[in-house]
Amino acid sequence: MITHQHEWILILDFGSQYTQLIARRLRELHVYCEIHPFNADLSAFQNKPGGIVLSGGPMSVNDDGAPELNTEIFDWDVPILGICYGLQAIAHSQNPGIVARSDKREFGRAFLIIDEEKGLFDGVSQNCQVWMSHGDKLTQLPNGYKIIAHTENAPIAAVAHTSKPIFGVQFHPEVVHSDYGSTILANFALSICGLTGNWTPSSFIEETISGIIENVGDKKVICALSGGVDSTVTASLIHRAIGDQLMCVFVDNGLLRKNEFNEVLTMYKNVLKLPVKGVDASKLFLDRLDGVSDPEKKRKIIGNAFIDVFEKEVESDSSFTFLAQGTLYPDVIESVSFKGPSATIKSHHNVGGLPEKMNLKLLEPMRELFKDEVRMVGRELGIPESFIKRHPFPGPGLGIRVLGPLSEERLNLLREADAIFVNELKRSELYDDVWQALTVLLPVQSVGVMGDERTYEFTVALRAVTSVDGMTADWAHLPYDFLSSVSNKIINEIKGINRVVYDISSKPPSTIEWE
C-alpha cells in the first residue's frame, strides 16, 4: 500500500499544531519523512522507517478518548523520539510510568539544564532556551528510563531508555524558539537513527522519473495545469519522463486573474515547451456556480466541473489512462484529521479522488513535497525563475475569494482589485518579499462618500503573508504608504468598491485563504 524507495522517518501525529514543523525541520536536514495519524495501520508500510517521531497534542493522556500510543512501534526496534504529548504517551503506555496534572504549567520559554551531554544533546549548550507548551508532567518514570535533562519547573524535561534508542522531550525542538532544536533533531535523525540525509531535489527527480516511467508504461497522461508553480513543475517532470505521452490542459474556468489565461498559455507553449491545449470553459463553470455561497459547495462544483472538462477531452482517446495533478503534501495533511478518516477538516480541490465514472488513475508526483521543495525541484528542472517565484494560487481560483454568492459581476470587481494589488507589489519591488498576496471581496456593502454623493458599495480585504511552505504564515508588514496608495487606487479606479481593509491575522489560527 505505502512504499518507500529511500530512507525515511515516520511522524505519528497526536494533533499538535506544530506537527508539520517537525516534518519541515527533518526535510531541511535532507531526511525524508511522512506524517500519519497516531492510529495509522502499521501493516500498511511495506518497509519500516529508520526512526519514529511522536508529535505533541492538545489533550491529556488521562482524558477520556485521548489518543493512545500503538505499542507495536516498539516491536520495530527502531529509534523513537517522543515530543511533549509523545513523551507522555510513551510513559503512559509502560509501567510504572505516571503522567499527572502539573501545579506549575509551562507555556513559552524555559531554560534547559542538561544532565547527559551526549547522544540527543550532543553539541547542545547548557541553559539553552527551549519552548514549552504543556499542562501535564511526567511524575514517575517507566522501568528502564532515566532523566537526561530538566528545567526549573520540570524535573523531567527529557528522558532516555537505558538500553534502547528511545527518547522523549517535554519541550518542542521543532519551533524556532528552541535554540538548539535543529541540532537535537539532527542528532536523532542522523546520529541515533544513522540516516545519511541524502534526500535532495536531484535525487527526488531521478527517483520520481523512474517511478513515472514504470507506472505509466506506454499509456498516456492528461495533466491539469492551473497556471501555478505546483502543476507546472508536475507537468515539466512528467514531460521529462514520458515526452509526447503527456497532454496538458489549461482551462479558463472564469475564475482566473486578469489576463492570466492568455499570458500563461503563451508561456507554457513558447517558454516551457509543454504540449498544452487551452480550453475556454468559463461559461460552464460560471453557470454552475451562479449564486452559490457555501465554500464547500463551491469547491465541489469547481472540482466536478474540471473533471467534466477533462473527461470530454479524453473521451475520444482510450489510451489516456492517468490524470496528473499538482497535489502537494500540505494539501494532503490539511485534508486528513489526526483522529483518522471520521473527522473532516476541509476538502481540498486536489485531494478527493476521482468520480467512478471517470476511468482515469491519479498521478501525483509532487504529493510528497512542500511548496519550497517544489520550487527547488523546478529550479533543478530548469524552469525560469520568473515562473518559480509566482505566488501560490488555489485551484478553485477567485471562486473562493468572492465570499458569499458568486456572480460574474462580483468576480470582475475582485479581478480588477486583485490586479491592482499584485501589479503595485511588483512595481514597488515588494512582490518577492511576500509568500502570497491576494484580494478577497467581502459579502457586505457599506456607506461611503465620493465627491458629494453617497455610495453603498463593496469592501475588499487585502492579504499578504510571509511563509516558507504555507503550513504556517505571518502577515506581511507592508509599508503604510504602499497600502495607502493601493487603497486609493482601488477605490478611485473601480466603481463598486468604496472600502479597503488589510488582514493582519497569522496562520494559525487563521488560514491564508479566507475560504
Side-chain angles (χ1 to χ4, degrees):
M1 178 180 172
I2 301 173
T3 61
H4 301 276
Q5 305 300 321
H6 38 67
E7 60 184 23
W8 69 295
I9 283 180
L10 169 63
I11 301 170
L12 292 178
D13 181 20
F14 288 87
S16 170
Q17 63 177 321
Y18 301 135
T19 301
Q20 295 86 359
L21 290 179
I22 301 171
R24 288 297 310 122
R25 299 294 172 258
L26 291 172
R27 295 282 184 94
E28 288 167 2
L29 298 170
H30 302 296
V31 172
Y32 180 70
C33 57
E34 284 187 8
I35 299 172
H36 290 273
F38 72 95
N39 55 0
D41 179 7
L42 300 182
S43 66
F45 302 103
Q46 293 183 4
N47 48 312
K48 68 182 182 181
I52 300 171
V53 176
L54 311 176
S55 84
M59 300 184 72
S60 165
V61 293
N62 297 311
D63 289 343
D64 290 338
E68 295 183 4
L69 178 66
N70 184 346
T71 56
E72 291 178 15
I73 63 172
F74 298 122
D75 298 333
W76 272 352
D77 195 29
V78 300
I80 298 170
L81 173 63
I83 296 175
C84 196
Y85 186 99
L87 160 64
Q88 296 168 6
I90 290 174
H92 190 65
S93 71
Q94 301 180 61
N95 288 324
I98 297 177
V99 177
R101 180 64 62 183
S102 176
D103 56 351
K104 291 183 178 179
R105 298 184 301 169
E106 282 192 307
F107 293 94
R109 293 172 178 82
F111 296 93
L112 193 67
I113 303 167
I114 301 170
D115 302 307
E116 190 170 283
E117 297 178 338
K118 62 180 182 179
L120 195 64
F121 295 131
D122 186 28
V124 178
S125 293
Q126 282 285 1
N127 294 302
C128 66
Q129 177 180 286
V130 294
W131 193 256
M132 293 286 191
S133 181
H134 65 99
D136 285 0
K137 65 178 181 180
L138 182 57
T139 59
Q140 184 168 336
L141 292 176
N143 290 330
Y145 285 82
K146 61 182 178 180
I147 298 171
I148 59 174
H150 65 280
T151 68
E152 182 179 350
N153 289 331
I156 305 175
V159 306
H161 196 280
T162 55
S163 61
K164 300 176 182 178
I166 302 175
F167 302 85
V169 295
Q170 188 58 73
F171 56 90
H172 289 272
E174 68 273 24
V175 303
V176 295
H177 307 295
S178 292
D179 289 341
Y180 286 83
S182 293
T183 301
I184 292 169
L185 291 174
N187 287 338
F188 176 73
L190 303 178
S191 299
I192 295 168
C193 295
L195 304 185
T196 59
N198 61 0
W199 195 68
T200 63
S202 58
S203 67
F204 171 82
I205 291 170
E206 182 180 345
E207 180 180 317
T208 303
I209 286 177
S210 297
I212 292 171
I213 293 172
E214 180 180 352
N215 191 22
V216 172
D218 61 354
K219 304 299 182 182
K220 288 185 178 180
V221 178
I222 184 171
C223 181
L225 289 173
S226 68
V229 176
D230 308 338
S231 62
T232 302
V233 175
T234 295
S236 299
L237 185 59
I238 296 173
H239 190 231
R240 178 172 291 193
I242 61 173
D244 292 340
Q245 292 170 245
L246 171 70
M247 182 183 83
C248 300
V249 176
F250 182 39
V251 178
D252 183 354
N253 57 5
L255 306 171
L256 298 175
R257 290 167 288 196
K258 187 175 182 179
N259 301 325
E260 185 165 32
F261 183 67
N262 291 330
E263 290 176 0
V264 173
L265 187 61
T266 299
M267 183 179 293
Y268 280 145
K269 289 180 176 180
N270 298 341
V271 179
L272 301 180
K273 308 296 184 183
L274 289 173
V276 58
K277 177 180 180 181
V279 177
D280 183 357
S282 54
K283 187 177 187 307
L284 169 70
F285 281 82
L286 296 181
D287 285 349
R288 293 186 184 183
L289 288 165
D290 188 43
V292 177
S293 299
D294 182 80
E296 278 294 294
K297 288 183 179 178
K298 289 178 185 177
R299 290 176 180 273
K300 295 294 186 183
I301 290 170
I302 293 167
N304 288 331
F306 270 123
I307 294 299
D308 290 342
V309 171
F310 298 137
E311 188 177 39
K312 184 176 180 181
E313 292 300 320
V314 302
E315 63 184 358
S316 61
D317 190 341
S318 60
S319 62
F320 280 104
T321 306
F322 294 90
L323 171 64
Q325 293 187 149
T327 305
L328 300 192
Y329 201 36
D331 304 336
V332 178
I333 295 171
E334 292 184 345
S335 299
V336 178
S337 167
F338 81 96
K339 294 182 179 179
S342 62
T344 300
I345 299 173
K346 70 173 183 177
S347 65
H348 190 275
H349 57 279
N350 277 355
V351 185
L354 295 170
E356 292 182 3
K357 67 174 184 175
M358 192 173 187
N359 192 27
L360 291 177
K361 301 175 185 177
L362 275 178
L363 185 62
E364 299 171 313
M366 300 293 146
R367 190 180 176 91
E368 300 173 343
L369 302 187
F370 289 95
K371 175 74 76 171
D372 58 319
E373 294 168 336
V374 173
R375 288 194 166 111
M376 288 189 286
V377 168
R379 291 185 179 100
E380 194 79 19
L381 290 170
I383 296 175
E385 195 68 16
S386 60
F387 208 96
I388 293 293
K389 288 184 176 179
R390 282 170 60 88
H391 288 181
F393 188 64
L398 300 182
I400 57 170
R401 293 179 180 173
V402 172
L403 307 194
L406 267 179
S407 68
E408 192 163 4
E409 177 188 5
R410 292 183 176 187
L411 281 165
N412 286 333
L413 284 176
L414 175 60
R415 191 173 283 116
E416 293 299 324
D418 178 79
I420 289 174
F421 185 30
V422 172
N423 288 337
E424 287 301 298
L425 282 169
K426 291 178 178 178
R427 189 182 64 82
S428 301
E429 298 183 349
L430 293 169
Y431 183 83
D432 291 341
D433 293 340
V434 301
W435 160 266
Q436 186 174 359
L438 58 112
T439 309
V440 179
L441 183 72
L442 304 185
V444 293
Q445 291 173 282
S446 63
V447 173
V449 178
M450 299 187 76
D452 293 325
E453 295 184 359
R454 176 183 182 274
T455 62
Y456 191 62
E457 297 177 338
F458 285 102
T459 299
V460 293
L462 307 181
R463 180 131 168 87
V465 299
T466 57
S467 181
V468 173
D469 49 41
M471 299 304 300
T472 59
D474 192 16
W475 61 279
H477 295 224
L478 296 176
Y480 291 156
D481 288 347
F482 170 80
L483 291 172
S484 175
S485 173
V486 171
S487 174
N488 289 338
K489 197 171 181 67
I490 289 174
I491 292 171
N492 289 336
E493 295 184 12
I494 305 175
K495 183 175 176 56
I497 297 173
N498 69 353
R499 194 176 297 272
V500 176
V501 299
Y502 188 55
D503 183 347
I504 59 169
S505 50
S506 62
K507 176 186 179 181
S510 300
T511 55
I512 296 176
E513 297 287 347
W514 281 41
E515 285 190 346

